[in-house]
Amino acid sequence: MNVAMIGAGYVGLVSAACFAEFGASVTCLDVDENKIERLNAGEIPIYEPGLEALVARNVAKKHLAFTTEFAAIIGGADLVFIAVGTPTRRGDGHADLTFVCAAARQVARHLRGYTVVVDKSTVPVGTARDVKRIIAETNPSADFDVASNPEFLREGAAISDFMRPDRVVLGIETERAAALLRALYRPLNLIEIPIVETDLESAELIKYAANAFLATKISFINEMSALCEAVGADVHAVARGMGLDGRIGRKFLHPGPGYGGSCFPKDTLALVRIAQEHQATLRIVEAVMHVNATQRARMVSKIRKAVGGSEAGKTLAVLGLTFKPETDDMRESPSLVILPALMDKGAIIRAHDPQGMDEARELLPHGVSYCDDSYATFEGADAVVLMTEWNAYRGLDLRRVLGLMKGNVFVDLRNVYEPEDMSELGFSYHGVGR
Ligand code: NAD
Ligand code: UGA
């Protein structure tokens, strides 16, 4: 089976490599020439664990190739996946479909023989029908169907999420399209992964509803963490006690500085806009977004209070800048809100991140000192702020940390360490909700 993957970002590149691993013959296309040049030179433009080896293996087997030329691959493809970005549109918060529509137009021009054009990007309800209209208008003689196949992988665990997903969702209109998609996903069917076949609109909405619900769990526990602090309860005990109820579930109840990343923030906002467009309201999702913004502000206040009421002139050793560990992605990272707020009030920032520092240099205000070694951040610091729970920060030599610091404040925004242990070591320790 010949597959064309349009977009070589986090989703396109991982999906292309995984479909190739399933045995399909995949060509991944991007309009970013530099990205494709690097991929053709054997370099992976993003940090995603396991991806380099998977790509190399499938390129060597000639199951996977990269190009910038639509004309070279679309005509021979059975399935064309659109996996381009759908960021927040400036000004109104809707999903920006510029890239999806441009890809659809470019694909349309080169279609030859029956082809299924599949939206993998996260797109508002109705987009598959828009893509269908664009293709039909651009190339009236094209023989094609559209389908929706939203992606649920997480950055940092993308390959295992793709290879062993909880489910595959297929929005389809014809049996012919369904048969091709089922054949592509057959390796997952063999390991009994549920496949949800539904209409285009439902498939599109499932993706937003799932992300909004996960964001709801996070905002719920973050709000509980504030209450725990007020009443003297431990949010971890609360989360465990709640989460052991199978109807609630334990996952995504970890408090922190608020959710970030390229998806939850933009997708919750886009979902609210979709509802508004259809004269519906989503009060819960609106509240989830509000609580997330509040949580970031609450973290700024927490750090301020921990260093004695004013961050002016205080040196903060910041561990982790990316929105979560095991990725170099800085999009909507809580650090991009929390650190500028502290710097505005005169805080001095010494920061480390295992993968995110190049990107952070572009996005954070000038004046941050970036340290190649995490221990270098502690030199002369008044306080440590653990922002992202990279494994490298879980096993710190804490006596050495204290020895390097000027002060003894440790603000753990991910609750990596135990409050009692930290107090015993001599830290003034501040977690979230404990
Ligand atoms: P990304 O920004 O990493 O990659 C998008 C790529 O598309 C870029 O390389 C860009 O150059 C390319 N592109 C733009 N226009 C193009 C065109 N006309 N033709 C060919 N290539 C083009 O984005 P991403 O994180 O991979 O996300 C892609 C989609 O998948 C989004 O809708 C996102 O919401 C969704 N999604 C993302 C994740 C994730 O973890 N990142 C998970 C699930 C779903
Ligand atoms: C998320 C979803 O988990 C994926 O299923 C989905 O495919 C993807 O969005 C998407 O649509 O793009 P991702 O953003 O990569 O994946 O990362 P998550 O692991 O979900 O984390 C998102 C944010 O929530 C991070 O900032 C993380 O620190 C935060 N989080 C997560 C918490 O604060 N607490 C938790 O319990 C879980």
Side-chain angles (χ1 to χ4, degrees), residues 109-256:
R109 288 189 194 109
H110 303 287
L111 287 174
R112 229 185 315 116
Y114 177 73
T115 316
V116 185
V117 180
V118 191
D119 277 333
K120 202 167 225 343
S121 299
T122 302
V123 288
V125 180
T127 303
R129 292 202 191 280
D130 289 342
V131 166
K132 188 174 176 177
R133 183 182 41 76
I134 290 170
I135 296 175
E137 282 170 9
T138 313
N139 181 351
S141 63
D143 179 16
F144 73 102
D145 278 311
V146 292
S148 165
N149 171 220
E151 183 48 56
F152 298 95
L153 63 79
R154 287 162 302 167
E155 289 178 23
I159 293 168
S160 55
D161 280 353
F162 197 97
M163 294 288 194
R164 296 197 74 87
D166 288 336
R167 78 306 207 182
V168 170
V169 172
L170 301 177
I172 35 194
E173 284 195 302
T174 67
E175 189 48 40
R176 201 173 176 193
L180 271 173
L181 280 160
R182 280 184 213 129
L184 180 67
Y185 277 109
R186 202 174 117 77
L188 296 186
N189 205 13
L190 293 176
I191 56 169
E192 298 187 359
I193 303 294
I195 298 196
V196 179
E197 291 189 13
T198 182
D199 55 274
L200 298 172
E201 287 75 14
S202 303
E204 289 169 335
L205 193 51
I206 285 168
K207 173 64 199 175
Y208 280 109
N211 271 4
F213 195 80
L214 292 170
T216 302
K217 287 188 88 174
I218 299 169
S219 275
F220 184 89
I221 204 65
N222 281 340
E223 214 167 34
M224 279 302 137
S225 74
L227 183 58
C228 285
E229 287 173 18
V231 301
D234 179 345
V235 70
H236 284 283
V238 174
R240 184 168 146 78
M242 281 170 62
L244 283 169
D245 184 328
R247 292 169 301 176
I248 297 173
R250 291 180 64 181
K251 292 180 181 163
F252 273 66
L253 287 179
H254 197 87

Side-chain angles (χ1 to χ4, degrees), residues 266-433:
K266 84 167 168 66
D267 291 348
T268 44
L269 181 56
L271 182 56
V272 164
R273 292 290 182 264
I274 293 168
Q276 287 166 347
E277 213 171 57
H278 293 83
Q279 286 74 49
T281 47
L282 293 177
R283 292 210 180 83
I284 294 175
V285 187
E286 285 170 18
V288 164
M289 290 160 47
H290 179 71
V291 170
N292 199 51
T294 307
Q295 185 72 356
R296 291 169 181 203
R298 209 166 76 74
M299 296 303 107
V300 174
S301 307
K302 182 185 281 294
I303 295 163
R304 179 172 303 142
K305 205 166 149 208
V307 296
S310 166
E311 60 272 52
K314 296 277 165 44
T315 300
L316 307 179
V318 176
L319 298 178
L321 297 168
T322 52
F323 79 100
K324 61 181 281 189
E326 297 301 330
T327 181
D328 56 353
D329 200 340
M330 284 292 299
R331 287 180 282 186
E332 298 285 334
S333 177
S335 67
L336 296 177
V337 176
I338 295 171
L339 297 184
L342 295 166
M343 291 172 80
D344 265 359
K345 294 275 189 308
I348 300 153
I349 306 290
R350 297 173 63 77
H352 176 265
D353 188 283
Q355 294 291 338
M357 290 201 288
D358 286 346
E359 191 69 17
R361 278 192 183 90
E362 308 280 317
L363 299 172
L364 283 169
H366 291 298
V368 174
S369 305
Y370 295 94
C371 305
D372 288 335
D373 174 40
S374 58
Y375 284 90
T377 61
F378 307 127
E379 286 164 20
D382 295 283
V384 175
V385 177
L386 200 161
M387 187 80 74
T388 315
E389 70 280 30
W390 285 89
N391 280 336
Y393 308 143
R394 289 180 184 277
L396 292 171
D397 177 347
L398 293 163
R399 287 182 210 285
R400 185 175 162 209
V401 173
L402 258 185
L404 290 166
M405 289 173 70
K406 187 164 78 189
N408 71 338
V409 174
F410 197 112
V411 189
D412 184 355
L413 300 186
R414 301 287 184 168
N415 291 349
V416 165
Y417 289 98
E418 287 303 319
E420 295 77 23
D421 300 349
M422 295 300 275
S423 301
E424 259 173 47
L425 278 163
F427 283 103
S428 162
Y429 177 83
H430 309 261
V432 181

Side-chain angles (χ1 to χ4, degrees), residues 6-12 29-32 35 70 83-86 99 102-103 106 120-122 151 153-155 207 262-263 266-267 331:
I6 312 302
Y10 288 87
V11 168
L29 177 149
D30 205 289
V31 287
D32 182 338
K35 211 173 235 187
F70 283 86
V84 299
T86 49
F99 305 115
Q106 282 153 314
K120 202 167 225 343
S121 299
T122 302
E151 183 48 56
L153 63 79
R154 287 162 302 167
E155 289 178 23
K207 173 64 199 175
S262 65
C263 296
K266 84 167 168 66
D267 291 348
R331 287 180 282 186

